Amino acid sequence: MRVRFEVSKVLDAIEKRLSTDPALARGVVDLAEVVRYADLDGGRPATLLRLGLVVDALSRRLAEENVVVYVVVDRALLSDADLTSNERMVIRRWADDGLVEVLPGAGDRTLEVADLTGLPVISRRPYDDQRERRPWLGEPGRLLCPGYGPGNATIEPAVPGGPQPPSRATVRGQEVLARLWRCPEPGCAAFGPSRAGRPGGQPPPRLRDGVPVCPRHDEKLLAAGPRPAAEVLVARVDGTVRQRFVVSSDQPVVVGRAPDGLDQGPGVLMLGPWLAEEARRWISRSHVVLEILGDDLVARDVSTNGTVVRVGGSRAESDRLMLTRDQVRLLGDDDVIELYPGVQVARAGQWSSGGVANPSSVMADAPTMMIQLPASD
Ligand SMILES: [Zn+2]
């Protein structure tokens, strides 16, 4: 029973790293492929825990905490007897909650998502037959190969080329992602009115002969207005990117030690767990509100001690602005918000590295028998 309990804790940890929001995900994976990377642990033919090993490897590559992946699941995996019944049930729950995308005949959906969003594909397939149609596969950082060793899962780009380049959607991708879409199927987790997570964080539609359809229900999607304007930001504490988050015109975000609201999900970024004692004392429960007004990203101080803006990311005293309670500042592209020295928020492109050599693992609670690595002889 102890092993079972620990497995479910690992699956809970993995669950927090799943999203089909193109603004948050850092790579696209085909789950049916990943669960069969038996060389990563030398264990059963298929196990869901390998998704955790791949998420960890991606976190290490990006040197960031809390890295999120976009998981595509072929529906056949839900009845794959190589997985445990508990694993199949967990995948079904993730699908119902809109955390992963389940579809009949996943085919090249992984490539389509990568194509439309600009995210890298995490796969061992060489995709030689796709190179002509999708030339970006040959660009540095667009195809990432999970491997093994020394002593751990790794992810290396198929085409070497320095740090991970930012995601760039294709023109067609920008077009479909500029709109919201509605699936006629009631209760659709991806394109329904009760979408989990940020309402504007819909996945890209599937394109069938150029027509947007729901990947899961294969129904033609209805246009539902423009997608709310959004900015991807990062919170960095003591030199480490701890969390990416999205501020959108339909959803401001309150950043602080422990912002109000029981729900610690969208709309709230809680820094508390990452703060040392001095910073905890200085930073207010709700410290600064970030919102999009028109086309602008705006910061509003709501704290006791004030919020510093480092204009253009500069460390010079002369570029340091102090916002006091209810003061507002329109943020320039490179401006950095500082809630306390070393506790910063900025646009995602501000820092070239996530800063941490060993991000925390989703596998921390995995029973050792599940991560028995092959002998490295
Ligand atoms: Zn649907």
Side-chain angles (χ1 to χ4, degrees):
M1 283 321 283
R2 185 171 158 74
V3 166
R4 194 189 164 97
F5 175 65
E6 285 165 339
V7 167
S8 71
K9 266 168 67 173
V10 176
L11 294 177
D12 286 348
I14 295 173
E15 179 174 315
K16 296 194 178 78
R17 308 292 199 88
L18 306 173
S19 175
T20 58
D21 183 342
L24 288 178
R26 308 301 300 284
V28 195
V29 300
D30 176 347
L31 189 62
E33 181 188 327
V34 167
V35 296
R36 294 191 181 276
Y37 291 159
D39 61 310
L40 296 187
D41 50 40
R44 298 183 352 234
T47 160
L48 194 48
L49 295 178
R50 287 181 192 129
L51 178 59
L53 296 174
V54 168
V55 166
D56 278 357
L58 183 63
S59 306
R60 285 192 291 273
R61 167 166 168 77
L62 299 171
E64 244 182 73
E65 298 284 2
N66 295 309
V67 165
V68 164
V69 291
Y70 187 123
V71 176
V72 173
V73 185
D74 192 304
R75 199 161 67 194
L77 197 65
L78 297 177
S79 48
D80 190 321
D82 285 341
L83 294 174
T84 66
S85 58
N86 181 52
E87 287 176 324
R88 294 194 298 265
M89 191 183 72
V90 166
I91 299 172
R92 228 170 264 130
R93 195 184 73 225
W94 288 348
D96 290 344
D97 292 347
L99 298 173
V100 300
E101 185 173 289
V102 171
L103 68 169
D108 67 355
R109 173 63 177 165
T110 316
L111 290 185
E112 182 183 53
V113 171
D115 196 287
L116 295 173
T117 59
L119 292 172
V121 178
I122 301 167
S123 173
R124 287 180 175 176
R125 292 177 199 151
Y127 290 119
D128 288 334
D129 54 334
Q130 295 281 338
R131 298 280 171 143
E132 207 163 310
R133 196 172 149 220
R134 307 188 194 272
W136 51 262
L137 279 165
E139 291 171 14
R142 290 306 301 278
L143 180 56
L144 301 175
C145 303
Y148 174 76
N152 225 331
T154 59
I155 282 188
E156 297 294 339
V159 179
Q164 191 62 32
S167 302
R168 277 199 333 266
T170 55
V171 173
R172 185 64 182 130
Q174 289 169 23
E175 282 167 15
V176 292
L177 290 174
R179 311 200 65 81
L180 289 177
W181 302 94
R182 191 69 68 226
C183 177
E185 186 74 22
C188 179
F191 299 97
S194 58
R195 200 198 128 67
R198 189 170 66 90
Q202 285 185 349
R206 197 173 201 184
L207 296 178
R208 198 178 56 212
D209 302 325
V211 177
V213 297
C214 175
R216 184 167 194 183
H217 302 112
D218 209 34
E219 298 261 12
K220 196 177 156 191
L221 293 172
L222 311 167
R227 186 178 286 243
E231 287 271 4
V232 184
L233 305 185
V234 296
R236 195 173 180 247
V237 178
D238 298 333
T240 295
V241 170
R242 308 286 172 161
Q243 188 79 56
R244 290 196 158 216
F245 62 104
V246 179
V247 175
S248 55
S249 54
D250 60 338
Q251 191 168 70
V253 173
V254 188
V255 181
R257 192 180 75 242
D260 285 332
L262 295 172
D263 178 11
Q264 298 301 337
V268 169
L269 184 71
M270 181 165 69
L271 300 172
W274 303 311
L275 302 178
E277 206 182 321
E278 283 288 302
R280 285 186 68 86
R281 272 204 295 269
W282 183 265
I283 294 173
S284 297
R285 283 174 62 87
S286 296
H287 198 101
V288 58
V289 179
L290 298 162
E291 53 199 328
I292 297 220
L293 300 175
D295 290 329
D296 299 318
L297 177 62
V298 170
R300 178 163 50 92
D301 178 82
V302 291
S303 74
T304 306
N305 292 318
T307 299
V308 169
V309 179
R310 295 201 172 269
V311 178
S314 162
R315 293 185 184 191
E317 269 311 290
S318 53
D319 295 324
R320 184 179 183 275
L321 281 178
M322 171 68 102
L323 301 182
T324 54
R325 204 175 179 88
D326 290 327
Q327 278 187 325
V328 166
R329 160 129 183 134
L330 190 154
L331 294 172
D333 283 350
D334 298 321
D335 288 356
V336 173
I337 296 170
E338 202 167 69
L339 292 80
Y340 180 82
V343 182
Q344 301 166 319
V345 172
R347 284 184 174 82
Q350 180 69 26
W351 295 291
S352 59
S353 163
V356 63
N358 270 307
S360 6
S361 167
V362 294
M363 305 298 287
D365 288 310
T368 47
M369 58 169 281
M370 290 293 180
I371 50 166
Q372 195 80 62
L373 299 166
S376 52
D377 53 12

